[in-house]
Amino acid sequence: MNDRLDVRRSSRDAVSPIVVLGEFDGFHLGHRQLADAALRVAQRERRPLVAAVLADMGAAHTLTTVDQRCWALLASGASSALVVSLVDASDPAIAVEIVDQIANRLAPSAVVMACLPDDASTARFPQLRAEFAERSIEVVEVPRWRNPDGQFITSDAVRDALRTADIPRANDLLGRTFSLIGTVVHGSGLGRTIGFPTANLDLRADALIPRRGVYAALVDLADGSQHRAAVNIGVRPTVERDGHVLVEAHLLDFDGDLYGVRIDVGFRRWLREEQRFGSVDELVAQLALDVEHTRLLLRG
């Protein structure tokens, strides 16, 4: 790794930025380390830091929107952000397209990237470094960050934790609480009729949804208030056949109209599997236990 930049000075170079490059999905602890390292380089070289966010437009199961990633990078010290939209990230020529956009639009003094994985064949865009070298743009590589068990912190590791409902692990990797943000829409109304009204989330189509089941969560509302909630992710097998997956949050000790309101559901613990009960009465009894479990887990 080149720890010290030997920057060639020129009249054009005087305002050339340091660029930090990545996909930044989830903006986990490894991304924060990369952004911090790039900021130190920019400060040392007395240059602005610009974030270049690679946005695979065909990606599914994403942790954060591109806008959320840009805001996180701006909060971490970047003066601006460039979104490089990738129509087909599997195209072998994609590295040329990426570097062309960055070189032509930003004319960077240097590009800061995470080091290649231990197995370079698994690199997402393996030809990037060679393409930057072709244009005499220096690449500064930052070691990837490992968690306490020695594994690299990656967006895929966060996704794996969420798919197995290991919420504490996902939150540790992220360095924050994983959340789903969506607008509350009308549902069947069953929850209200059985005493457990729910806020049904309308989520973006590419969002990663954790494993089916019941979770303890904290819900943030636009007015700044926060409420404990028992959240169900599933198809409601007791009351529906061939239902599609819903995310429903029952806010504890809350009585209000949330339709049309955008809420942030922060996941804290997984409580149990989704179940099919023999009757609605059995379902109601279990929901009462879920609420009490949530109350105890999130007390204080």
Side-chain angles (χ1 to χ4, degrees):
M1 185 184 79
N2 183 358
D3 188 52
R4 176 69 190 180
L5 283 178
D6 180 15
V7 179
R8 299 179 180 87
R9 308 288 178 177
S10 69
S11 57
R12 190 190 75 160
D13 210 36
V15 293
S16 293
I18 302 297
V19 170
V20 59
L21 174 63
E23 292 181 274
F24 299 107
D25 187 23
F27 204 72
H28 53 61
L29 289 177
H31 293 143
R32 293 188 193 185
Q33 183 199 35
L34 178 60
D36 288 347
L39 182 61
R40 290 194 295 271
V41 171
Q43 291 172 336
R44 186 175 64 217
E45 299 301 324
R46 298 182 181 179
R47 294 175 180 275
L49 175 65
V50 176
V53 180
L54 304 178
D56 182 351
M57 308 313 290
H61 309 300
T62 59
L63 300 167
T64 46
T65 66
V66 174
D67 281 350
Q68 288 172 325
R69 301 174 213 177
C70 290
W71 281 115
L73 286 157
L74 293 173
S76 298
S79 60
S80 61
L82 169 69
V83 177
V84 180
S85 298
L86 313 177
V87 176
D88 182 5
S90 64
D91 185 346
I94 195 65
V96 176
E97 178 186 330
I98 292 170
V99 176
D100 279 347
Q101 288 196 52
I102 293 171
N104 294 337
R105 298 180 66 177
L106 300 177
S109 171
V111 175
V112 181
M113 300 170 57
C115 287
L116 285 170
D118 288 348
D119 179 1
S121 67
T122 65
R124 178 87 157 125
F125 307 105
Q127 296 302 316
L128 279 179
R129 288 155 182 80
E131 291 299 327
F132 280 121
E134 281 287 318
R135 293 160 178 77
S136 299
I137 297 173
E138 187 167 9
V139 172
V140 179
E141 294 194 309
V142 176
R144 293 174 180 265
W145 202 4
R146 298 177 187 266
N147 60 22
D149 63 11
Q151 300 300 309
F152 287 117
I153 296 177
T154 65
S155 298
D156 281 342
V158 177
R159 294 187 190 98
D160 289 344
L162 293 171
R163 288 176 177 132
T164 58
D166 191 347
I167 300 301
R169 177 176 173 78
N171 291 345
D172 284 346
L173 295 172
L174 289 167
R176 58 178 172 79
T177 300
F178 170 77
S179 67
L180 289 175
I181 301 173
T183 302
V184 178
V185 295
H186 288 276
S188 67
L190 174 66
R192 186 169 297 279
T193 65
I194 62 175
F196 294 92
T198 60
N200 302 313
L201 268 66
D202 182 23
L203 299 170
R204 54 190 172 85
D206 64 338
L208 184 140
I209 298 176
R211 174 183 173 182
R212 294 183 190 179
V214 180
Y215 295 81
L218 291 172
V219 174
D220 291 311
L221 303 184
D223 63 6
S225 63
Q226 188 177 72
H227 303 267
R228 291 173 291 184
V231 177
N232 184 75
I233 297 178
V235 297
R236 309 198 303 175
T238 304
V239 295
E240 288 192 22
R241 286 186 177 181
D242 303 321
H244 60 282
V245 175
L246 299 173
V247 178
E248 308 171 283
H250 171 67
L251 279 62
L252 277 60
D253 309 315
F254 177 83
D255 184 16
D257 183 357
L258 292 176
Y259 292 123
V261 175
R262 195 169 173 80
I263 67 174
D264 185 324
V265 180
F267 290 76
R268 302 304 294 269
R269 290 297 175 96
W270 187 73
L271 301 183
R272 64 173 176 85
E273 296 273 6
E274 182 179 39
Q275 296 173 250
R276 178 186 221 125
F277 295 94
S279 67
V280 172
D281 287 342
E282 289 181 21
L283 170 62
V284 169
Q286 181 59 58
L287 293 177
L289 292 175
D290 294 338
V291 166
E292 186 58 27
H293 196 179
T294 298
R295 195 183 300 280
L296 291 171
L297 277 174
L298 304 182
R299 62 185 182 276

